[in-house]
Amino acid sequence: MPFANKVKLQDGNLGVVECGLVVKYEDQAIGIPLTHVTAEIDITFCAAEVKLTQTYLNNSPDPLHCVYFFPTETSVALHKFTATIGDRKLSGVVKEKEVAREEFSDAVNQGKTAFLLEELKPDIMELMVGNLGSNETCQIEIYYIQELPFQDLLTRFTLPTSIAPRYIPASDPDPVVGLMNMQYTGDVPLSIGFQIKMSSEIKNITSPSHKVEVTQHSKEGWFCAGGTLEDFTSLLDRDFVLTLECDDPLLPVVLYEDTEQGEVALMMSFIPETHAKERLCEFVFIVDCSGSMYRKIGDTREAMRMFIQSLPEDCYFNIVRFGSSYEVMASKFLSSKSVPYNDETLKKAKEYIDKSVDADMGGTKILKPLKKVLGWKYKKGYERQILILTDGRVSNTEKVIKTIKNRSNKDKCRVFSLGIGDRVSRELVKGMAEAGDGIQMFCTSNEPMREKVIRMLSCACSNRSEISCVEMEGQESLTPPVPVTLFTGEKTVLYTLTPTLPAEITVHCSGSKHTVTSGNFVQVDSGKMPKLVAHKVATGGVVSEGRGVELALNYQVVTKETSFVCVDGDVTYTANMVAREEEQEENYLVEYNLIGPSSPPPLEKKRMERSRRRLEAGEDEPAAQLTKLMDLADTKGGFSDLAKIRAVFKLGELTTASNFAEDIVATVLALVLLEIKFGVQRDVWYRFAGKSEKWLDGKISKEELKNLKDEMKNFVSSF
């Protein structure tokens, strides 16, 4: 996608260049004009292929060396690359990385046009173009395949359109410090189209990020759909997100396809029911309060209130907010460590969230608070659950992920992450959760956050369940090379290449097993799925034989060890070029520095304050009503003040139900209000309501509870 790059030149000045291809030429930052962008998306069940086409024009008088960066979903299988220059079409070949680099360097030094495409980071690709001729048009086509995550019973596709701005510590040696402030601007013609093919009926297709036009049809037993952006010149200042709702989303299925290499590529997808009991936990919330969070901090504050109001009774908790520095909530009123969950600490935590959780802490330095929390002494009998809420705008991603992966007492600590906003670092958010044996979720600015935080909390409360082995009928059992943690309701996908197609696959987990028979095997004929499976296996996927580089070369996919390279031998340039020497590789790589707010702009601060006042005054109903209702409960889920509940919903006097104590009536009324007023938001309050139901147990019989609920329903319906 096209970017607006803030470029730091040798003289220290900053310039802004609209481009995707960038060249540093005679101490000047030069953007190669982008003339058109298209993205074609082909979704088949739980995988998607993306074809990106971008056309550039070198309108300078000289041949140029260029560097092109583009974002992807993390760990995609980049399997095809072509470059068309004038009437010459070149196709890339995957080779071992050092071999490809040497071939590229030799070609450029000989004056030939050449291309080198590599994985710079799991979510950023780098394309180097050597000797792009004067006044030549270059059309770049890049094909990659990605697995689609499953969240909230929806299949979710994301097309990253920007490399998210990131906070850069002064001493950070991260190799992409030079890419930190890229975003889409300009009116370059843009089109996005998508085709969808599913094995069950498609009930709904929506985009929380953009307006789309969708049509549906059936073809050869598949349920199909297609669509485009409504506005073909939409400015992509946010990632493009598409969600699919289908019948039978929990049905296990195996997709398979014969490969040209004589193997069978298998993808097994299932939604585990682990039946794992909840365990005693210590919850530590690490909340991003950096300046870049200023547009999302209001929703984050509300999400935090939902979190702590829905915690289980017997637990410990703490809140750590961070930016350029960090602050531990508990140190404000009791201690620096986590505190027991009771009515007093709940009240103080709410006050802390309202007064202190703000986008006012400067940059995004997550590493120090993370190390601090990981280093705390564990409470006997309690497993630590770290829940991180962030927009992920850091540059030292690898250090953060490595710190989590190398944590001590892994069996006593898990990490969960929620990426907030429209341009999140997907590598960071996914990497933290994967390294921490947790789950990750993403929430765009147009999506409600509350359902996602409660889903994360439910997973954090659940006991551990892992895959022990995978049996395939007629073949040897496979053991995952790394532990695979399962969560009820969260999709798990296993990949493998087998010599023949098994008739049955059984996954053995902690305390359960999941079997898929041939009746739920679906054959696909795309020629693409084997690329994704091979990439997953080659990079140490869930089920791997460790064939690595050999597998990547055989299936022609880019990994950390392999790259695409292609050379145009028909034309040689000899004059006025910026020669690329291997030892000069970094000389023409443009440096970008983030010039971002360390605190919200003044107008944004006023807007945030107005929003907070409206919420306190109850003007943002019904969202404020739900928050206020839950705020009236104690840590056990009980309510004690009928008058306050009636005030929130503007209900009149309650003259009946005199045989019961006020706290019982108030708690039953609250449960009824949740059902009547917020039934469609059950995913937000079901954990909270469970505490209230438990609180009532033993205080009132089932028959009395049913009658009292009916009475409260009639009371609420009369207003």
Side-chain angles (χ1 to χ4, degrees):
M1 298 302 160
F3 305 111
N5 300 328
K6 287 189 175 177
V7 182
K8 183 178 180 181
L9 304 176
Q10 282 188 348
D11 61 4
N13 294 325
L14 288 168
V16 177
V17 182
E18 288 186 16
C19 56
L21 282 173
V22 179
V23 63
K24 191 170 183 180
Y25 183 65
E26 294 182 353
D27 295 333
Q28 295 294 316
I30 300 173
I32 309 303
L34 178 68
T35 61
H36 193 75
V37 183
T38 64
E40 300 171 42
I41 303 158
D42 186 0
I43 297 173
T44 302
F45 196 66
C46 57
E49 182 187 51
V50 178
K51 175 187 175 183
L52 289 178
T53 305
Q54 301 194 351
T55 304
Y56 294 91
L57 171 65
N58 175 14
N59 56 8
S60 75
D62 302 304
L64 295 173
H65 295 308
C66 315
V67 184
Y68 166 46
F69 305 98
F70 67 96
T72 67
E73 187 58 275
T74 57
S75 302
V76 301
L78 202 158
H79 69 93
K80 185 177 179 181
F81 165 72
T82 65
T84 302
I85 305 173
D87 58 357
R88 309 186 306 280
K89 186 169 185 177
L90 310 176
S91 296
V93 178
V94 174
K95 299 186 178 183
E96 289 190 49
K97 180 164 285 187
E98 292 307 317
V99 174
R101 287 179 172 179
E102 184 176 353
E103 184 174 326
F104 172 79
S105 180
D106 290 345
V108 171
N109 290 335
Q110 294 170 23
K112 298 177 181 178
T113 300
F115 300 84
L116 181 67
L117 179 58
E118 299 184 339
E119 176 187 305
L120 188 64
K121 294 178 74 69
D123 61 345
I124 301 175
M125 300 294 171
E126 176 185 28
L127 172 64
M128 296 181 222
V129 182
N131 297 325
L132 180 61
S134 173
N135 296 314
E136 280 197 322
T137 297
C138 177
Q139 184 183 80
I140 296 170
E141 292 182 350
I142 297 167
Y143 299 74
Y144 63 84
I145 308 174
Q146 64 190 62
E147 175 191 327
L148 300 183
F150 185 79
Q151 294 181 4
D152 305 322
L153 298 181
L154 301 175
T155 298
R156 186 182 183 95
F157 168 82
T158 301
L159 178 68
T161 61
S162 63
I163 299 173
R166 311 177 189 203
Y167 180 78
I168 309 167
S171 59
D172 188 5
D174 192 292
V176 289
V177 165
L179 315 180
M180 295 301 103
N181 200 35
M182 299 182 171
Q183 59 186 342
Y184 179 89
T185 65
D187 296 319
V188 175
L190 161 72
S191 61
I192 292 181
F194 52 89
Q195 298 294 323
I196 302 169
K197 187 166 69 172
M198 307 296 282
S199 58
S200 58
E201 184 178 356
I202 302 171
K203 296 171 64 176
N204 195 23
I205 301 172
T206 58
S207 172
S209 59
H210 295 78
K211 293 182 179 180
V212 294
E213 295 178 344
V214 179
T215 59
Q216 296 193 37
H217 62 281
S218 297
K219 182 179 180 181
E220 299 175 353
W222 291 85
F223 296 91
C224 304
T228 60
L229 282 183
E230 284 188 2
D231 183 358
F232 281 87
T233 58
S234 294
L235 299 184
L236 287 184
D237 58 350
R238 62 187 66 88
D239 294 343
F240 175 69
V241 179
L242 203 63
T243 60
L244 316 176
E245 181 183 5
C246 298
D247 274 345
D248 299 323
L250 305 182
L251 185 69
V253 67
V254 170
L255 300 183
Y256 71 94
E257 183 170 358
D258 295 330
T259 74
E260 295 178 354
Q261 290 77 10
E263 299 175 298
V264 180
L266 295 176
M267 290 176 59
M268 177 180 175
S269 171
F270 66 100
I271 311 292
E273 291 289 339
T274 63
H275 306 295
K277 296 181 180 180
E278 292 193 358
R279 62 179 304 165
L280 297 177
C281 293
E282 171 200 11
F283 300 94
V284 182
F285 303 96
I286 301 180
V287 186
D288 189 344
C289 289
S290 62
S292 60
M293 285 284 292
Y294 69 89
R295 294 187 185 278
K296 293 92 71 176
I297 201 66
D299 290 339
T300 303
R301 193 182 298 116
E302 182 186 3
M304 283 302 306
R305 293 179 70 92
M306 287 287 176
F307 260 136
I308 63 169
Q309 194 69 61
S310 302
L311 292 176
E313 293 178 43
D314 186 1
C315 72
Y316 287 80
F317 77 107
N318 210 334
I319 299 171
V320 179
R321 67 187 192 108
F322 73 94
S324 297
S325 58
Y326 68 90
E327 178 182 273
V328 180
M329 176 200 70
S331 64
K332 292 289 184 179
F333 53 87
L334 283 175
S335 69
S336 61
K337 306 296 172 33
S338 297
V339 295
Y341 184 58
N342 54 46
D343 291 342
E344 180 186 0
T345 56
L346 175 62
K347 179 181 177 181
K348 290 182 177 180
K350 289 178 183 178
E351 293 173 353
Y352 181 80
I353 291 170
D354 289 342
K355 295 178 180 178
S356 300
V357 175
D358 220 334
D360 59 357
M361 295 191 72
T364 313
K365 293 185 177 181
I366 191 174
L367 193 56
K368 284 187 177 181
L370 181 61
K371 286 182 176 180
K372 182 73 172 180
V373 172
L374 290 172
W376 284 345
K377 184 178 179 180
Y378 289 92
K379 297 186 178 299
K380 187 176 181 180
Y382 291 79
E383 182 177 297
R384 181 170 298 152
Q385 313 294 335
I386 301 174
L387 299 99
I388 302 174
L389 288 73
T390 180
D391 63 5
R393 298 188 177 188
V394 302
S395 65
N396 55 349
T397 299
E398 292 181 5
K399 286 184 179 179
V400 173
I401 294 173
K402 186 176 180 180
T403 297
I404 295 173
K405 190 173 184 178
N406 294 338
R407 70 193 185 282
S408 61
N409 297 314
K410 292 184 179 181
D411 60 328
K412 296 182 180 179
C413 178
R414 293 187 296 190
V415 178
F416 300 78
S417 55
L418 175 63
I420 303 170
D422 297 315
R423 294 189 295 144
V424 179
S425 169
R426 309 186 71 77
E427 178 195 7
L428 177 72
V429 174
K430 284 190 172 184
M432 290 191 299
E434 289 173 0
D437 300 321
I439 65 166
Q440 83 283 334
M441 287 192 167
F442 294 90
C443 186
T444 68
S445 58
N446 294 325
E447 292 181 289
M449 194 184 300
R450 295 181 294 185
E451 289 89 342
K452 296 179 185 294
V453 301
I454 298 303
R455 177 66 192 142
M456 283 182 61
L457 181 59
S458 295
C459 290
C461 290
S462 66
N463 215 331
R464 293 174 180 267
S465 180
E466 295 181 347
I467 294 176
S468 56
C469 74
V470 180
E471 290 183 349
M472 294 188 289
E473 189 175 288
Q475 301 181 32
E476 292 185 6
S477 298
L478 298 175
T479 301
V482 294
V484 180
T485 304
L486 304 177
F487 296 95
T488 296
E490 296 296 315
K491 184 181 72 173
T492 298
V493 181
L494 307 180
Y495 300 86
T496 191
L497 293 163
T498 66
T500 58
L501 180 67
E504 182 177 282
I505 300 178
T506 300
V507 180
H508 293 269
C509 313
S510 308
S512 65
K513 66 178 182 178
H514 303 269
T515 299
V516 183
T517 59
S518 58
N520 286 326
F521 283 28
V522 178
Q523 184 175 13
V524 296
D525 187 22
S526 64
K528 304 165 186 175
M529 196 188 83
K531 304 279 190 179
L532 176 60
V533 176
H535 182 271
K536 291 289 185 180
V537 176
T539 54
V542 174
V543 179
S544 172
E545 299 175 10
R547 286 186 268 171
V549 174
E550 178 187 355
L551 198 59
L553 296 176
N554 287 342
Y555 282 86
Q556 289 289 285
V557 290
V558 170
T559 67
K560 288 183 178 180
E561 291 80 28
T562 59
S563 307
F564 264 119
V565 65
C566 62
V567 176
D568 180 7
D570 293 341
V571 179
T572 301
Y573 300 99
T574 59
N576 298 323
M577 295 185 299
V578 183
R580 181 188 191 278
E581 301 287 347
E582 193 65 29
E583 66 270 18
Q584 295 175 332
E585 181 172 320
E586 299 299 322
N587 289 353
Y588 66 90
L589 294 180
V590 183
E591 238 182 273
Y592 308 85
N593 279 0
L594 172 61
I595 309 300
S598 58
S599 60
L603 290 178
E604 189 63 26
K605 278 188 175 181
K606 291 181 180 179
R607 187 195 66 79
M608 289 164 56
E609 187 58 36
R610 287 197 302 269
S611 177
R612 189 188 299 221
R613 287 198 299 267
R614 285 198 304 271
L615 183 63
E616 291 171 351
E619 298 174 13
D620 291 337
E621 298 177 336
Q625 287 183 327
L626 178 57
T627 301
K628 287 186 173 184
L629 176 63
M630 293 176 66
D631 277 349
L632 295 176
D634 59 29
T635 55
K636 298 182 183 297
F639 290 77
S640 59
D641 197 325
L642 266 174
K644 288 183 178 179
I645 296 177
R646 293 187 357 253
V648 171
F649 295 91
K650 300 176 182 177
L651 302 174
E653 288 289 334
L654 180 61
T655 57
T656 58
S658 57
N659 292 332
F660 298 101
E662 181 178 352
D663 57 353
I664 292 177
V665 177
T667 303
V668 173
L669 176 58
L671 288 171
V672 168
L673 285 166
L674 289 174
E675 289 282 359
I676 293 177
K677 298 288 188 180
F678 312 104
V680 295
Q681 300 181 54
R682 180 179 295 274
D683 287 345
V684 174
W685 52 259
Y686 78 93
R687 289 191 60 85
F688 170 83
K691 292 200 297 183
S692 298
E693 296 278 6
K694 184 178 179 181
W695 183 88
L696 286 167
D697 190 32
K699 295 181 175 64
I700 184 172
S701 69
K702 291 183 178 180
E703 183 67 23
E704 289 173 326
L705 178 59
K706 179 180 180 300
N707 293 335
L708 187 54
K709 280 188 175 181
D710 289 340
E711 188 175 344
M712 292 302 100
K713 288 177 183 177
N714 292 332
F715 170 65
V716 173
S717 300
S718 65
F719 292 93

